[in-house]
Amino acid sequence: MTAPLRSDATVVDVALGERSYDIVIGRGQLATLGERIAKLRPGARVAIVSDENVARLHLEAAVAAVANLTNQVSTIVLPPGESTKSFGHLASLCDDLISHRIERNDLIIALGGGVIGDLAGFAAAIVRRGLDYVQVPTTLLSQVDSSVGGKTAIDSPQGKNLIGAFHQPVLVVADTALLDTLPEREFRAGYAEVAKYGLLGDAAFFAWLEANWRDVFAGGPAREHAIAVSCRAKAAIVARDERETGDRMLLNLGHTFGHALEAAAGFSERLLHGEAISIGMALAFEFSARRGLLPQAEAERAVRHLAAVGLPTHVSQVQGGAPDADRLMNLVAQDKMVTRGKLTFILARGIGAAFVERDVDGADVRNFLREKLSA
Ligand SMILES: NC(=O)c1ccc[n+]([C@@H]2O[C@H](COP(=O)([O-])OP(=O)(O)OC[C@H]3O[C@@H](n4cnc5c(N)ncnc54)[C@H](O)[C@@H]3O)[C@@H](O)[C@H]2O)c1
Ligand SMILES: [Zn+2]
């Protein structure tokens, strides 16, 4: 399929009262950033925050897109990678924003994947007690997940995302053409989060993905459709439960097992987040089947699709070897989904029918993991 140069925008509303905002999705939509910002915040200065990889490929286009503003545009480029979500980089980013005279009426633009979005969003939350920011996500993961919903954070040596704030952006512009330069492994990992929306609450979307995933990878209208459906699903959940006291937990499908695997792999290139979540979702469906919540064949269908796109679905596929069941269990128990010894898991009664189970016995999980690891 040949992808068009520019497509009409699909706009998804995140309905949060006075903090509502649009997610604009479409091929070539980066070019519209300037006019959108001019409408939203006439006269604002903007600071574009990016990482070296993204800056090399897309910063010039982003600067050109906002150059029609008569205002000052500054750029701040940080090193790529998870280690940038640190106090050190946060401090220098905050200093840079202040020295570029970004003030209360101005805008920060986060141009990058989830790392830049989380870091620039957190800086926006704290510099001058809160500045507005725009997300321009450049990875599939950030277009369907991290740029929407207002979670911002840096990492602590004790764990990921432990220091942060809820701070919603004022606009998200997801230009699907930016994903053309994304390494295929990163795209595939992000696809795990797309499949997640089908698996957790939308069986029809899951069936559509089974039939159309190749077109999503190829980059035509199917890609935009998949991103729009994903954003609509996330926006609806965030609108119902902004601070994750109930429904928003469903977005953690596959994440309790997944985070444990990521930790076991040292949050390294050995296992990308989406790859860990793919294995985690496979485990969540298999564990649900084992508890008699859904037929084994339904769990197998979920796993089959993840495997078909080339995602790992079994612990043995972790590069450099899988952790043993006890190590994995200790890591599961450290996840934030644990309250007073009882484990909270997102389980499923079928494809598209996930629910929050707050009363899972640790021993059941341990036995399940032992079996999986010996298989
Ligand atoms: N805030 C949330 O709700 C939320 C949700 C999920 C994940 N996250 C966070 O998101 C982060 C992961 O985000 P990610 O997967 O986007 O990783 P990332 O930001 O590290 O990007 C992955 C890699 O791709 C490169 N890249 C980005 N866009 C590119 C492009 N268009 N072309 C070529 N290369 C490109 C980056 O430089 C980087 O090397 C984690 O820190 C995670 O904690 C946050
Ligand atoms: Zn995730």
Side-chain angles (χ1 to χ4, degrees), residues 6 9 15 17 43 60 99 123 162 194 197 208 219-220 223-224 254 273 323 341 352 359 370-371:
R6 168 107 165 244
E60 204 182 307
S99 60
L162 290 179
V194 174
Y197 294 108
W208 182 89
R223 178 186 288 175
E224 282 156 51
H273 174 74
D359 203 27
R370 282 222 178 90
E371 265 173 42

Side-chain angles (χ1 to χ4, degrees), residues 141 145 193 196 251 255 259 273-274 277:
L141 179 134
D145 191 356
E193 305 279 7
K196 182 184 78 178
L251 297 173
H255 280 60
H259 285 154
H273 174 74
I277 283 354

